[in-house]
Amino acid sequence: MAESGLTGRACFEAINGPAPGKFLATEHGTTHYVLEGPESGLLVLLQHGLGSNLGIFNKIAADLVKMGMRVLRFDFYDRGYSETDPERYPVPSVSHPLDFTLDLYTKQVREVMTALGLQDKDYIFCGHSTGGVAAIGYASQYSDHLKGLLLMSSVCLPASKPLTARVADLPIVGSLIVKYFGANAMIKFVNASCNNPGEFPEVQEFLNKVRRNVHANKRYFASIRSTNAHCKGFVGSAEAEFRQFCKSKVPLHMIWGRADTSVPYSQCLALKKIAEEEGVPEVTETSFDGMPHNVFFVDAKEEECSKSICEFVSKVSK
């Protein structure tokens, strides 16, 4: 295959084609981003999850731009076209020398915002899964211009890891297990996050590209493993950050699949309860029976999720 012997951005490009956006030099490497829509529009950040990239929000971003919003998306380090510096952070196998903590994710958001001169703009943050906990982390620290938070199937509260994931966190034994079994486990996880991929060629294509990245791109897989071992919500909890966000008293909207096995719907209800306890004035929810983790994919509730996001943004922007 074209990606044979490649890693990082070069591997992702071989699998996915040329980058659609631009690049910034950031603390740990380079960050790929897309900024679109009129400068006068309210800024909306769309942040992808653990193993995906900014392309998953193409539909939602287009709908928001049609509304006149300014939309920012970027790839997390070693996902998509973003990359940690290979010289400072060599990845010979499945372990990453950089700890992918919540603080690291939050700092990457801040660096991108600052580099683009957007740090003093009013904004709404929408995050899916790992992008959701990054949104919580950022909103808890930078709430002065925050107008709303939108969480989709968001990582936050303590997760119950399966035994294989807990063993995989061990430094020596874990590396061996991930090396020989982790790739297939990751692919199984991504497949289970979709609703009916067999009926949708674009979802099948997405899954095929993830599979190729998992097997060929060491930096990609190592960044996922490091997140699993170091980021709050995967290990420990981001409840303190969520409660801190709640003190800003801005609207909160959540979108969830009720059949989500990655971040169960019970966590949506728990976050809703915490927000109400903390006095968040407006806490709303859109949830779907029988829908999985990637609830906004075309094989799930794409149109309904985009409509829910656009309605929340429209209401908050008034």
Side-chain angles (χ1 to χ4, degrees):
M1 289 189 175
E3 65 269 20
S4 179
L6 300 176
T7 189
R9 185 196 304 174
C11 184
F12 196 81
E13 288 178 345
I15 294 171
N16 294 270
K22 299 179 180 179
F23 290 89
L24 292 169
T26 44
E27 180 181 359
H28 299 291
T30 54
T31 296
H32 171 246
Y33 74 95
V34 171
L35 178 61
E36 53 197 334
E39 291 186 12
S40 59
L42 177 64
L43 179 65
V44 182
L45 282 79
L46 299 175
Q47 198 57 56
H48 68 79
L50 181 64
S52 53
N53 60 81
L54 63 77
I56 63 167
F57 284 124
N58 285 343
K59 155 76 175 165
I60 294 170
D63 288 348
L64 288 168
V65 169
K66 287 178 185 177
M67 293 173 56
M69 301 300 156
R70 185 80 157 151
V71 181
L72 172 64
R73 297 175 282 161
F74 72 86
D75 292 327
F76 286 139
Y77 286 126
D78 292 327
R79 266 64 54 89
Y81 299 92
S82 295
E83 185 176 41
T84 52
D85 185 345
E87 292 187 5
R88 283 185 289 159
Y89 307 109
V91 181
S93 185
V94 295
S95 294
H96 207 295
L98 187 62
D99 292 346
F100 280 72
T101 62
L102 178 56
D103 186 56
L104 180 141
Y105 282 112
T106 301
K107 285 182 177 179
Q108 190 181 12
V109 178
R110 189 60 176 177
E111 278 197 90
V112 172
M113 291 280 279
T114 302
L116 295 175
L118 302 173
Q119 72 275 18
D120 294 323
K121 300 287 187 182
D122 290 346
Y123 72 98
I124 295 170
F125 207 144
C126 172
H128 173 248
S129 193
T130 307
V133 75
I136 291 168
Y138 188 81
S140 71
Q141 295 184 39
Y142 304 102
S143 61
D144 287 351
H145 296 279
L146 179 66
K147 298 301 178 183
L149 182 65
L150 203 158
L151 303 176
M152 291 196 290
S153 309
S154 177
V155 172
C156 178
L157 301 178
S160 178
K161 293 184 181 180
L163 177 60
T164 51
R166 294 198 301 270
V167 173
D169 289 338
L170 299 176
I172 299 176
V173 176
S175 294
L176 293 174
I177 288 179
V178 171
K179 182 176 181 180
Y180 293 107
F181 301 103
N184 290 332
M186 176 64 188
I187 292 167
K188 183 177 180 181
F189 161 78
V190 176
N191 284 330
S193 297
C194 297
N195 182 47
N196 187 21
E199 299 296 322
F200 294 85
E202 55 267 66
V203 181
Q204 288 182 310
E205 181 182 12
F206 167 79
L207 293 173
N208 180 53
K209 288 177 177 178
V210 169
R211 178 185 60 78
R212 290 168 65 185
N213 265 289
V214 167
H215 285 297
N217 192 343
K218 294 178 181 178
R219 307 193 72 81
Y220 169 78
F221 191 43
S223 70
I224 290 172
R225 181 172 182 253
S226 182
T227 302
N228 183 69
H230 297 290
C231 185
K232 289 182 179 180
F234 291 89
V235 56
S237 171
E239 181 178 339
E241 286 81 359
F242 182 72
R243 288 187 181 274
Q244 181 62 38
F245 145 74
C246 290
K247 297 182 188 305
S248 65
K249 299 296 190 284
V250 302
L252 169 67
H253 185 55
M254 292 181 287
I255 298 175
W256 232 275
R258 295 193 179 190
D260 191 339
T261 57
S262 302
V263 186
Y265 175 64
S266 59
Q267 297 215 10
C268 174
L269 298 178
L271 290 172
K272 190 174 181 180
K273 182 179 180 181
I274 292 171
E276 291 169 347
E277 288 174 357
E278 293 288 345
V280 175
E282 184 177 344
V283 183
T284 53
E285 169 204 331
T286 300
S287 56
F288 301 95
D289 288 334
M291 290 295 106
H293 190 58
N294 292 334
V295 64
F296 62 100
F297 272 29
V298 67
D299 67 330
K301 296 292 183 179
E302 180 185 54
E303 292 291 341
E304 294 87 343
C305 287
S306 187
K307 180 182 178 182
S308 182
I309 291 168
C310 290
E311 287 177 348
F312 176 74
V313 169
S314 178
K315 180 172 61 176
V316 169
S317 64
K318 292 179 180 178

